[in-house]
Amino acid sequence: MALSVVDLYKNALPKTNCKECGFPTCLAFASMVVSEKHPLKNCPYIKTEIIKTCQKELDEQHAEGKWTKKDMAQDALLWAKKRAASMEIKDLPERIGGEIINIEDGSALRLPYFEDFVLIKKESVTNIQGTALNRWEQVFIFNHIAQGGKRDPTGNWKSLQEFPNTISKIKSMHSHVEQPLIKKFAGDIQKLIEASKSLGGIDVTDKYSSSDIAFYFKVFPKIPVLLMFWDVDDSFDAEVKFLFDETIVEHLDIESILFLSERLRQLLCGES
């Protein structure tokens, strides 16, 4: 029978709230054991026989994912890999760009990514040195592989809300992408210019003079992003917009467009 937080607290823990486990109460400790797989043995006063009995139950329910806190990044990555599983590496250059190269354990797609490259294999995406990209980056790259698009950008730019089924994502774009950029660069537009250039951004302000600055990023060969920024002044608050080529929905699902936008924001802000 699965152990809930209350079950563990009532039937296994000493209920002394001694804090020696590192948590303020026995109930808080129970919650971490059940939802975060915190070691039950870290309670200094629980009996050995109770640990043995309860740990078996806990291991079984953790394996089933019962009451555990969801690892959203891992779940998304497994889903993206499953979507891309049928794609052959050798077929990718024609669709999304890059080139096939030989590596020690086979072949990989060497795909331009900002000013650098990534290596795409069946089960992993790494930088050119072989270090795995973070899981959200891998998610939108595997989804790029799986989406099936192959059209080149047309140069017709759209904001996120101009694409279908994005209403629920507008708030996330504002809070996780636009607001942090405004907080970081409002009143210091030169820093944004420098950060954009460091990522290989091309200054296209002369073509989009309605904004204070505009930068073109070639994230992948067929996925460009346009950043437009209006700095704060006496009459208006700062504003930022990411625009996408109209073909992006052929290369990424809407969720992955948001993941990519968040990653670009992180890189501009100097976050790992």
Side-chain angles (χ1 to χ4, degrees):
M1 187 178 92
L3 289 169
S4 68
V5 173
V6 174
D7 290 334
L8 195 64
Y9 172 74
K10 287 173 59 178
N11 302 324
L13 298 180
K15 297 182 281 294
T16 58
N17 297 332
C18 68
K19 301 180 179 63
E20 291 180 42
C21 63
F23 297 94
T25 65
C26 290
L27 188 61
F29 175 77
S31 177
M32 292 299 292
V33 170
V34 171
S35 66
E36 301 277 1
K37 305 181 184 180
H38 196 76
L40 184 59
K41 65 182 181 181
N42 283 13
C43 171
Y45 299 110
I46 192 170
K47 295 179 180 179
T48 302
E49 57 268 26
I50 293 178
I51 291 177
K52 289 181 178 178
T53 302
C54 291
Q55 194 61 57
K56 182 180 179 182
E57 298 281 358
L58 288 165
D59 289 344
E60 289 177 359
Q61 68 191 54
H62 287 158
E64 295 173 1
K66 187 175 180 63
W67 290 324
T68 56
K69 185 177 179 180
K70 291 290 186 182
D71 186 338
M72 293 180 65
Q74 186 61 27
D75 287 350
L77 180 54
L78 290 173
W79 176 76
K81 283 184 175 182
K82 186 176 180 180
R83 286 190 73 207
S86 63
M87 303 297 168
E88 295 291 338
I89 296 294
K90 63 181 177 61
D91 297 331
L92 295 179
E94 184 180 355
R95 282 208 300 107
I96 65 174
E99 62 176 348
I100 302 297
I101 63 170
N102 293 319
I103 54 177
E104 289 183 4
D105 54 350
S107 60
L109 177 69
R110 183 174 180 264
L111 186 69
Y113 179 51
F114 290 106
E115 275 208 308
D116 206 345
F117 295 89
V118 292
L119 293 180
I120 299 173
K121 295 180 281 187
K122 266 291 188 184
E123 288 295 322
S124 66
V125 180
T126 69
N127 61 22
I128 208 70
Q129 290 78 33
T131 303
L133 271 63
N134 76 44
R135 289 181 295 178
W136 290 119
E137 282 180 294
Q138 292 190 60
V139 167
F140 64 71
I141 291 173
F142 276 116
N143 281 335
H144 181 24
I145 294 170
Q147 195 74 358
K150 62 180 181 180
R151 259 212 303 168
D152 292 330
T154 65
N156 185 15
W157 297 103
K158 291 186 176 183
S159 60
L160 185 65
Q161 56 262 40
E162 293 179 80
F163 294 104
N165 305 314
T166 56
I167 293 175
S168 63
K169 305 302 177 187
I170 302 306
K171 186 175 180 181
S172 292
M173 176 67 85
H174 183 68
S175 59
H176 296 300
V177 179
E178 296 170 356
Q179 281 298 108
L181 285 170
I182 290 170
K183 184 177 180 180
K184 178 79 173 180
F185 296 111
D188 199 350
I189 202 169
Q190 186 58 38
K191 278 190 177 180
L192 180 55
I193 292 172
E194 293 168 2
S196 297
K197 288 181 177 179
S198 73
L199 290 179
I202 300 170
D203 191 339
V204 290
T205 307
D206 58 334
K207 295 181 181 179
Y208 302 94
S209 56
S210 64
S211 59
D212 291 325
I213 64 167
F215 272 85
Y216 174 97
F217 297 93
K218 198 170 186 178
V219 182
F220 296 113
K222 298 194 178 184
I223 301 182
V225 176
L226 181 65
L227 165 68
M228 301 180 73
F229 192 90
W230 295 262
D231 204 4
V232 62
D233 61 26
D234 293 337
S235 303
F236 299 98
D237 294 332
E239 184 180 354
V240 62
K241 287 293 178 187
F242 279 176
L243 300 180
F244 309 95
D245 192 86
E246 65 178 351
T247 60
I248 194 170
V249 289
E250 299 176 26
H251 295 285
L252 288 176
D253 60 281
I254 296 300
E255 195 78 24
S256 293
I257 293 173
L258 190 61
F259 296 156
L260 181 149
S261 301
E262 289 187 43
R263 186 56 182 155
L264 177 51
R265 184 268 300 169
Q266 290 173 344
L267 293 170
L268 288 169
C269 291
E271 300 173 16
S272 62

